[in-house]
Amino acid sequence: HADTAMYGAKEAGRNNYQFFVPEMNARALERLMLENALRRAIEGGELKLHFQPQLNAQDGALTGCEALLRWNHPEIGAIGPAQFIPVAEESGLIVPLGEWVLHGACRQQVAWARAGHRELMVAINISALQFRREDFADVVTRILAETGADPACIELEITETALMQPSEALYERLVALGRLGLTLALDDFGTGYSSLSYLKRLPISRLKLDYSFVRDLPGDQEDAAVASATLSLARDLGLEVVAEGVEVIEQFAWLKARGCSKMQGYLFGRPMPPEEFERWMAAHDPARVIGSPDTV
Ligand code: C2E
Ligand code: MG
Ligand code: MG
Ligand code: MG
């Protein structure tokens, strides 16, 4: 084949030749390097959790936060989760990485509860691959026991794509997690295509309206239609909506006027390391949030 070059792969063993498509080879190598670096990062303390506030849209009160993974590579610098989570998923590293996140976020919930923030919810992102493992509910049960975290303050964010091929086993898993007392949220809502009838059956209590539908509100008519439909669907099904990526007051006012109950975004606070999040909590004034205009 014309696109295929043949390289002698000495490293792979004598008399051992392999076929590579050159550009795929470069990408594969990049992935492999990233994978090895990530493997070291998990053990070497290069990973941290940041926390982004979530607010009650009606009274401006802080209700919880989302734990977001940050990787600071000693030479490369910051690498975003959008870049390394897919690598972690393809390599299977998502399993130890996901457990590390669950542990860290649960420990943080305990620390904040001890400091008096007993109602503060901590939301944790769960990869589809993590959720689809048979032992997932057992892993969560064990981590709750090890850390002493309050299940009533732990929320699991499961992506819409993780539930794309619904099965009885996945349904049972959600029920088991709900029985532990955890809150379940459907992340990136609107980007996949959940069957709406299925949504009704699921023990899920919150939808996270994806940033891509919030970004161009209220001007973009299509995004406004998706956001409106999500809010009315949620209302009819008795679900809460958390809008993510709220950056400007116009988005906040538009969503609030349509009954969106929770909000998250740079308008209120960026993802922050725990110490900074604590300073943010101390300085937070709900009245300043609801002092904003109600309608646009
Ligand atoms: P996500 O769960 O949908 O998280 C929301 C993303 O939106 C975060 O990006 C957050 O920093 C960003 N964001 C929040 N407010 C705003 C805003 O006002 N404007 C804009 N432009 N962006 C905003 P981040 O931290 O880069 O994370 C990207 C994605 O990586 C997350 O999307 C999630 O899917 C994944 N991720 C992050 N941490 C973890 C983790 O611990 N485990 C797993 N499995 N996935 C994670
Ligand atoms: Mg999330
Ligand atoms: Mg999301
Ligand atoms: Mg998103």
Side-chain angles (χ1 to χ4, degrees), residues 49 52 66-70 80-85 89 94 97-98 101-102 124-128 130 157 159 187-188 208 210-211 215 244-248 251 264-267 269-271:
L49 288 177
Q52 185 177 34
E66 177 176 7
L68 292 157
L69 198 49
R70 295 292 177 263
Q83 252 180 298
F84 67 80
I85 295 286
E89 288 180 329
I94 193 68
L97 184 61
V101 170
L102 274 162
I124 306 169
N125 289 287
I126 304 298
S127 140
Q130 219 181 336
E157 294 191 2
T159 57
D187 203 356
D188 302 340
K208 294 202 75 182
D210 194 65
Y211 169 61
R215 188 177 49 213
E244 57 179 30
V246 178
E247 290 182 350
V248 294
Q251 294 165 337
Q264 178 183 344
Y266 298 165
L267 177 63
R270 296 197 167 242

Side-chain angles (χ1 to χ4, degrees), residues 102-103 105-114 116-124 140-141 143-156 177-183:
L102 274 162
H103 250 281
C106 284
R107 272 202 309 268
Q108 191 61 70
Q109 187 278 319
V110 173
W112 282 333
R114 287 194 182 134
H117 305 285
R118 305 202 173 278
E119 316 266 272
L120 188 74
M121 299 280 298
V122 178
I124 306 169
V140 173
T141 306
I143 291 173
L144 286 172
E146 283 169 2
T147 57
D150 178 1
C153 290
I154 299 292
E155 175 173 334
L156 302 181
L177 292 166
R179 260 197 235 108
L180 292 172
L182 302 162
T183 299

